[in-house]
Amino acid sequence: MEFSAESIAALIKGKVEGDPQAAVYTFAKIEEGHPGALSFLANPKYTHFIYETKSTIVLVSNDFVAERPITATLIRVQDPYEAIAHLLEIVKQATTQLPTGVEQPSFVAEGVDLPQGVYVGAFAYIGRGAKLGKDVKIYPQAYVGEGVEIGEGTIINPGVKIYHGCKIGKRCIIHSGAVIGADGFGFAPDADGTYSKIPQMGIVEIGDDVEIGANTTIDRAMMGATRLANGVKLDNLIQIAHNVQVGRNTAMAAQAGIAGSAKIGDNCMIGGQVGVSGHITIGNRAQIGAQAGIPNSVKEGVRLLGTPAVPALDFAKQCALMKRLPDLFNRVESLEKQKK
Amino acid sequence: MEFSAESIAALIKGKVEGDPQAAVYTFAKIEEGHPGALSFLANPKYTHFIYETKSTIVLVSNDFVAERPITATLIRVQDPYEAIAHLLEIVKQATTQLPTGVEQPSFVAEGVDLPQGVYVGAFAYIGRGAKLGKDVKIYPQAYVGEGVEIGEGTIINPGVKIYHGCKIGKRCIIHSGAVIGADGFGFAPDADGTYSKIPQMGIVEIGDDVEIGANTTIDRAMMGATRLANGVKLDNLIQIAHNVQVGRNTAMAAQAGIAGSAKIGDNCMIGGQVGVSGHITIGNRAQIGAQAGIPNSVKEGVRLLGTPAVPALDFAKQCALMKRLPDLFNRVESLEKQKK
Amino acid sequence: MEFSAESIAALIKGKVEGDPQAAVYTFAKIEEGHPGALSFLANPKYTHFIYETKSTIVLVSNDFVAERPITATLIRVQDPYEAIAHLLEIVKQATTQLPTGVEQPSFVAEGVDLPQGVYVGAFAYIGRGAKLGKDVKIYPQAYVGEGVEIGEGTIINPGVKIYHGCKIGKRCIIHSGAVIGADGFGFAPDADGTYSKIPQMGIVEIGDDVEIGANTTIDRAMMGATRLANGVKLDNLIQIAHNVQVGRNTAMAAQAGIAGSAKIGDNCMIGGQVGVSGHITIGNRAQIGAQAGIPNSVKEGVRLLGTPAVPALDFAKQCALMKRLPDLFNRVESLEKQKK
């Protein structure tokens, strides 16, 4: 099915620049453009591709100023990234039909209620006392332990494991291989060098509209709850230790790790492979760059880099000076020689 | 069910300070305390919470000296962390009943013996020639490959995968998503730039009382065995490569990675996100701080930080000097100017 | 079954030095040698073991010069690592029989064709429209989503999850817990601090002869495809973000992470725990050392270390100078004092 520039512009409140009847049937990245495809330009790094892309239509910002002729028809919008997201969502809604009903064989414990719109895939396991909201989708091979609660519209992808007693909010998406509620890593050292396990009696509580990436692990609390607030977005392979609290709308990139009882504020951005120490506090809106290590509490709104982390500008300066370090040693040696 | 301060003190050999009849029915972290809850104070960082906690009872160290009035009834013990572990364990024993028997549908290969107390959850797979000890619990969707041996009392959580031939000791706990015995990463480069796979013909051998975190991976040996000794504790998302040896009671925090054929000593503590190079030796009781990188063998009892790792005190000094580096450049420049 | 030095030498085009009738029945690492075992010496770090190994036969390089008497019979070859790989492969072929047929219960959607030699393990799920090549092995509890294509001879180990629409080439091996095609991490920030999900409408395309380690995650593209070219080898717990492109025969060690839309060249070697930023290009044959962080594009053939990464030699120099930094501060202070 094809859509004209004109009709697309209407959907995203854009202005057509070029042929209003230019038609597309699919999406493509601007650097992989081809006739019949719609692309977008949001990241300035990719600007040079707009002059050579073979895509039929490109979404650009109102601010974009062409420096050379462009073959594609443009649609100007305020925020091309938001506009493409909106278009993709429309297409997704139109083309995707989520499954409902119960595939066999699956295991649903006696007494568990399956409200309207619920899907239970083959080989999924739903333990005693679990409570599922309307339209919850439990894909094949997922495990929902005893007493787990899952809010309306949440999607549990194939193979997700949720240990007993954990609570998941509404409209969440949990990707394959994520493990929610395994035991926190708590041991008391004994005199003979062995360890005694500290039973982990708490749970994990996840708010609404949370997305959790593939193979991410979120441990249950020792007591109380490990908590992810509404709107948190976690990428893949992230570790959230026991009793951690993550504030609203905080996003973490892949392979970040948050140690036990740390409190992360609202609207923080935590980069990939970042490590945060236990029992510390990260203020709201903090931005922690990739691979940084955070040993101590940090304030609201900071931007940090490095291990141990320092303000991002200081880090850049340190890196620049590191490159000049050999020269500095030479200069000091030269000063010393002049002394003699 | 409620328990009095007096009765709790008797269980953990503590001394009540306050109302011996003060009663609790649950646990809470000291900072989340509420009436009817028992809390503990072990980490000095949390001391200020004791003056405001709403918990009814708090376990504190014999050494603790209150600086202000405290509402809660105290129970003094030698080690509050150990005492709370002991109490949690009592409650866990009293309230948890591990499942037994075989849920359907599950797959148990012909000839596999299921001794007393064994549980096989729905959708679990137990291959030919597997040997399970008494009271082994195989939760739903776990995979136990051909010829795998699992010792008495070991718990295999939902979705754990154990490849053929691997051996797991007694009383181990393996968390969801852990993969034991996948092929080691071994390839021989060919002249044309491609790689030939080196078959990984060894196994993984895990001792007794080992705990393995969610989504941790332990590769099978190329030949011989990748070995975890008794009492090893691994957190989540850890990588143990082929032919690694980990000594008794060594603990590793989440996302640490140990490259092939490395030997880690006994009673080491490996921090989160640490990387250890292949074919090196880490001495007994070494402590490696979070995110450190260990390129070469290190001796017994060292405390290291940084990449490449240096003694922890040197690392602290280097970090302090790094902050003063811009100033040093200025000072040298100033000396040079005076020269002219 | 036993094999003589003579017969083994014939298989790998080697020359026997010692008893041609010396016989072995198994393999052992040189440091764990025992009578009846065959070992090899490839890594110079292990040379000293050859004088004490109890193995009956040791494969060594043509260049090897003994400095002391050796008990074992030697077989000299050009490349001992390649030779042992070849021998292990012969033994593996002779001793391993891959399963075929369909175990029950499993789920194969109506209309899916199962060609000759295919294995579908118990509790495996194969969605509508999936296409499997000859001799594809789908182990227990694996998930093959709607419309997934898997080429001839590929092995999908227990519990692997492949989301809808992804394409896997021929002769690949995918290890347990790997997740192929989960949603890329894409969100557009809204004015109120929440995020809108960007639908991830693309797929993952994996070439031939690719191996993917346990619990590694490869996200589907936002549009188009996340691509791994022929011959790519990925270790465990690696993150490949949406729209990443990985060139032919590139190998990555465990826990490396590649951010969105990065392009990695051919025949690169990426070390363990390395982080690569999004939207950058890594040239062919680049070698990135363990734990390095790559913020910007890098050229062909570079060897880098550190965060942010610098040429490996510069990194070594910087590390050496860091150790002398306290001394440098003292020297500058001393120069300043002399000034007065």
Side-chain angles (χ1 to χ4, degrees):
Chain A
M1 199 174 160
E2 292 205 329
F3 297 88
S4 68
E6 204 170 36
S7 64
I8 292 167
L11 286 169
I12 54 176
K13 293 172 192 158
K15 270 177 294 179
V16 178
E17 206 167 295
D19 177 8
Q21 299 312 319
V24 293
Y25 64 91
T26 190
F27 297 94
K29 303 218 94 180
I30 193 166
E31 69 273 30
E32 299 173 345
H34 55 84
L38 177 138
S39 295
F40 72 104
L41 175 61
N43 184 336
K45 272 195 184 181
Y46 289 77
T47 302
H48 63 284
F49 286 115
I50 201 170
Y51 305 106
E52 32 187 89
T53 188
K54 294 189 175 115
S55 286
T56 302
I57 302 177
V58 181
L59 307 188
V60 297
S61 161
N62 287 329
D63 304 338
F64 171 73
V65 179
E67 296 180 341
R68 285 189 277 143
I70 293 171
T71 314
T73 290
L74 303 184
I75 301 179
R76 289 187 178 273
V77 292
Q78 203 184 337
D79 180 342
Y81 197 54
E82 202 184 287
I84 194 83
H86 187 54
L87 283 181
L88 286 166
E89 187 57 38
I90 289 169
V91 171
K92 191 170 188 190
Q93 297 288 346
T95 58
T96 310
Q97 188 168 7
L98 293 178
T100 58
V102 179
E103 278 177 5
Q104 292 302 347
S106 52
F107 185 102
V108 180
E110 220 183 294
V112 170
D113 198 40
L114 300 180
Q116 194 192 336
V118 162
Y119 166 59
V120 178
F123 318 123
Y125 186 102
I126 302 182
R128 274 182 298 170
K131 287 184 191 154
L132 310 184
K134 267 200 318 179
D135 298 320
V136 164
K137 309 296 178 186
I138 310 285
Y139 277 81
Q141 302 146 343
Y143 175 85
V144 176
E146 274 188 42
V148 166
E149 300 181 17
I150 303 180
E152 208 171 305
T154 283
I155 294 173
I156 307 293
N157 278 290
V160 167
K161 309 299 177 203
I162 308 175
Y163 280 51
H164 59 95
C166 295
K167 296 177 186 178
I168 318 283
K170 298 173 185 170
R171 297 174 304 278
C172 295
I173 300 174
I174 306 189
H175 284 287
S176 286
V179 178
I180 315 293
D183 284 351
F185 195 63
F187 299 92
D190 296 322
D192 64 353
T194 64
Y195 289 97
S196 294
K197 181 175 175 69
I198 315 269
Q200 303 291 306
M201 305 292 279
I203 61 167
V204 175
E205 264 183 39
I206 293 175
D208 298 334
D209 302 301
V210 171
E211 183 154 344
I212 295 175
N215 287 345
T216 280
T217 58
I218 304 176
D219 280 352
R220 68 194 308 111
M222 175 189 174
M223 43 182 77
T226 305
R227 283 193 194 89
L228 271 57
N230 293 346
V232 166
K233 309 295 180 192
L234 301 187
D235 200 348
N236 299 341
L237 293 167
I238 287 171
Q239 154 73 353
I240 305 289
H242 51 178
N243 285 99
V244 164
Q245 316 289 317
V246 181
R248 293 163 70 101
N249 307 321
T250 280
M252 296 190 200
Q255 299 174 318
I258 313 296
S261 297
K263 286 187 201 219
I264 314 288
D266 296 346
N267 296 94
C268 294
M269 299 186 69
I270 311 282
Q273 301 181 334
V274 161
V276 173
S277 291
H279 301 283
I280 69 171
T281 300
I282 307 283
N284 295 337
R285 295 180 306 286
Q287 299 190 20
I288 316 289
Q291 292 191 325
I294 313 293
N296 299 306
S297 292
V298 300
K299 299 206 173 141
E300 282 200 7
V302 293
R303 295 187 54 189
L304 303 177
L305 268 175
T307 301
V310 294
L313 288 177
D314 293 359
F315 183 75
K317 201 180 291 176
Q318 281 177 12
C319 292
L321 293 182
M322 281 302 287
K323 291 188 182 170
R324 292 170 50 203
L325 206 51
D327 178 51
L328 188 69
F329 271 85
N330 291 338
R331 285 159 65 188
V332 170
E333 199 177 335
S334 155
L335 284 165
E336 287 168 337
K337 276 186 188 151
Q338 290 173 39
K339 267 280 104 60
K340 287 170 195 169
Chain B
M1 199 176 161
E2 293 206 329
F3 297 87
S4 67
E6 202 171 38
S7 64
I8 291 166
L11 285 169
I12 54 176
K13 293 173 193 158
K15 270 178 294 178
V16 177
E17 205 167 295
D19 177 8
Q21 299 311 319
V24 293
Y25 64 90
T26 190
F27 297 93
K29 303 217 94 177
I30 193 166
E31 69 272 30
E32 299 173 346
H34 56 84
L38 178 137
S39 295
F40 72 103
L41 175 61
N43 184 335
K45 272 194 182 181
Y46 290 77
T47 302
H48 63 284
F49 287 115
I50 201 168
Y51 305 107
E52 32 186 87
T53 187
K54 293 187 175 118
S55 285
T56 302
I57 301 177
V58 182
L59 307 188
V60 296
S61 161
N62 286 330
D63 305 337
F64 172 72
V65 179
E67 297 180 340
R68 285 189 275 144
I70 294 170
T71 315
T73 289
L74 303 184
I75 301 179
R76 289 187 178 273
V77 292
Q78 205 185 334
D79 181 344
Y81 198 54
E82 201 184 287
I84 194 82
H86 187 55
L87 282 181
L88 286 166
E89 187 57 37
I90 289 170
V91 171
K92 191 168 187 192
Q93 297 287 348
T95 58
T96 309
Q97 188 167 8
L98 293 178
T100 57
V102 180
E103 278 176 5
Q104 293 301 345
S106 52
F107 184 102
V108 180
E110 220 184 294
V112 170
D113 197 40
L114 300 180
Q116 194 192 335
V118 162
Y119 166 59
V120 178
F123 317 123
Y125 186 102
I126 303 182
R128 275 180 297 168
K131 287 184 191 155
L132 309 184
K134 269 199 316 180
D135 298 320
V136 164
K137 309 295 178 186
I138 310 285
Y139 277 81
Q141 302 147 343
Y143 174 86
V144 176
E146 274 188 44
V148 166
E149 300 181 17
I150 302 180
E152 208 171 305
T154 282
I155 295 174
I156 307 294
N157 278 289
V160 168
K161 309 300 177 204
I162 308 175
Y163 281 51
H164 59 95
C166 294
K167 296 178 185 177
I168 318 283
K170 299 173 184 170
R171 298 174 303 276
C172 294
I173 300 175
I174 306 188
H175 283 287
S176 286
V179 177
I180 315 291
D183 284 350
F185 195 64
F187 299 91
D190 296 323
D192 64 352
T194 64
Y195 289 97
S196 295
K197 180 176 175 68
I198 315 268
Q200 304 289 307
M201 305 292 279
I203 61 167
V204 174
E205 265 183 38
I206 293 176
D208 298 334
D209 302 300
V210 170
E211 184 154 344
I212 295 174
N215 286 346
T216 280
T217 58
I218 304 177
D219 280 353
R220 68 194 309 110
M222 175 189 173
M223 43 182 76
T226 304
R227 282 191 194 90
L228 271 56
N230 294 345
V232 166
K233 309 294 179 190
L234 301 188
D235 200 348
N236 300 341
L237 292 168
I238 287 171
Q239 154 73 353
I240 305 288
H242 52 177
N243 285 100
V244 164
Q245 316 287 318
V246 181
R248 294 163 68 100
N249 307 319
T250 278
M252 294 189 201
Q255 298 173 320
I258 313 295
S261 297
K263 286 187 200 216
I264 315 288
D266 296 346
N267 296 93
C268 294
M269 300 187 68
I270 311 282
Q273 300 181 335
V274 162
V276 173
S277 290
H279 301 284
I280 69 170
T281 300
I282 307 285
N284 296 336
R285 295 180 306 285
Q287 299 190 20
I288 316 289
Q291 292 191 326
I294 313 292
N296 299 306
S297 292
V298 300
K299 300 208 172 140
E300 283 199 6
V302 293
R303 296 186 55 189
L304 303 177
L305 269 174
T307 301
V310 295
L313 289 177
D314 293 359
F315 184 75
K317 201 180 291 175
Q318 281 177 12
C319 292
L321 293 182
M322 280 302 287
K323 291 188 181 169
R324 293 170 51 203
L325 206 51
D327 178 51
L328 188 68
F329 271 85
N330 290 340
R331 286 159 64 188
V332 171
E333 199 177 336
S334 157
L335 284 165
E336 287 168 336
K337 276 186 188 149
Q338 290 172 41
K339 267 277 110 59
K340 288 172 195 169
Chain C
M1 199 174 159
E2 293 205 328
F3 297 88
S4 68
E6 204 171 36
S7 64
I8 293 167
L11 286 169
I12 54 176
K13 293 173 193 158
K15 270 177 295 178
V16 177
E17 206 169 296
D19 178 8
Q21 299 311 319
V24 293
Y25 65 90
T26 190
F27 297 94
K29 303 218 95 178
I30 193 166
E31 68 273 30
E32 300 174 345
H34 56 83
L38 178 138
S39 295
F40 72 104
L41 175 61
N43 184 335
K45 271 195 183 179
Y46 289 77
T47 302
H48 64 284
F49 286 116
I50 201 169
Y51 305 107
E52 32 186 88
T53 188
K54 293 187 175 120
S55 286
T56 302
I57 302 177
V58 181
L59 306 189
V60 297
S61 161
N62 286 330
D63 305 338
F64 171 73
V65 180
E67 297 180 340
R68 286 190 277 143
I70 293 171
T71 314
T73 290
L74 304 184
I75 301 179
R76 289 186 179 273
V77 292
Q78 204 185 335
D79 180 342
Y81 198 54
E82 202 184 286
I84 195 83
H86 187 54
L87 283 180
L88 286 166
E89 187 58 38
I90 289 170
V91 171
K92 191 170 187 191
Q93 297 287 347
T95 58
T96 310
Q97 189 167 7
L98 292 179
T100 57
V102 180
E103 278 176 7
Q104 292 302 345
S106 52
F107 184 102
V108 180
E110 220 183 294
V112 170
D113 197 41
L114 300 180
Q116 194 192 337
V118 162
Y119 166 59
V120 178
F123 318 123
Y125 186 101
I126 302 182
R128 273 181 299 169
K131 287 183 190 154
L132 310 184
K134 268 198 318 178
D135 297 321
V136 164
K137 310 296 178 186
I138 309 287
Y139 277 81
Q141 302 146 343
Y143 175 85
V144 176
E146 274 188 43
V148 166
E149 300 181 15
I150 302 180
E152 207 171 306
T154 283
I155 294 174
I156 307 294
N157 278 290
V160 167
K161 309 298 177 202
I162 308 175
Y163 281 51
H164 59 94
C166 295
K167 296 177 185 178
I168 318 283
K170 298 173 185 171
R171 298 174 304 276
C172 295
I173 300 175
I174 306 188
H175 283 288
S176 285
V179 178
I180 314 292
D183 284 351
F185 194 64
F187 300 92
D190 296 324
D192 63 353
T194 65
Y195 289 97
S196 295
K197 180 175 176 69
I198 315 269
Q200 303 290 305
M201 306 291 278
I203 60 167
V204 175
E205 264 182 38
I206 293 176
D208 299 333
D209 302 302
V210 170
E211 184 154 343
I212 295 175
N215 287 344
T216 280
T217 58
I218 305 176
D219 279 354
R220 68 193 310 110
M222 175 189 175
M223 42 182 77
T226 305
R227 283 193 193 90
L228 272 56
N230 293 345
V232 166
K233 310 294 180 191
L234 301 187
D235 200 348
N236 300 341
L237 292 167
I238 287 171
Q239 154 72 353
I240 305 288
H242 52 178
N243 285 100
V244 165
Q245 316 288 317
V246 181
R248 293 163 69 101
N249 307 320
T250 279
M252 294 189 202
Q255 298 174 320
I258 313 295
S261 297
K263 285 187 201 219
I264 315 288
D266 296 346
N267 296 93
C268 294
M269 300 186 68
I270 311 283
Q273 300 181 335
V274 161
V276 173
S277 291
H279 301 284
I280 70 170
T281 299
I282 307 285
N284 296 336
R285 295 180 306 285
Q287 300 191 19
I288 316 290
Q291 292 192 326
I294 313 292
N296 299 306
S297 292
V298 300
K299 299 207 172 139
E300 282 199 8
V302 292
R303 297 187 53 189
L304 303 177
L305 268 174
T307 301
V310 293
L313 288 177
D314 293 359
F315 184 75
K317 201 179 290 176
Q318 281 178 12
C319 292
L321 293 182
M322 280 302 288
K323 291 188 182 169
R324 292 170 51 202
L325 206 51
D327 178 51
L328 187 69
F329 272 86
N330 291 339
R331 285 159 65 187
V332 170
E333 198 175 339
S334 157
L335 283 165
E336 286 168 338
K337 276 187 187 150
Q338 291 173 38
K339 267 280 103 60
K340 287 171 195 168

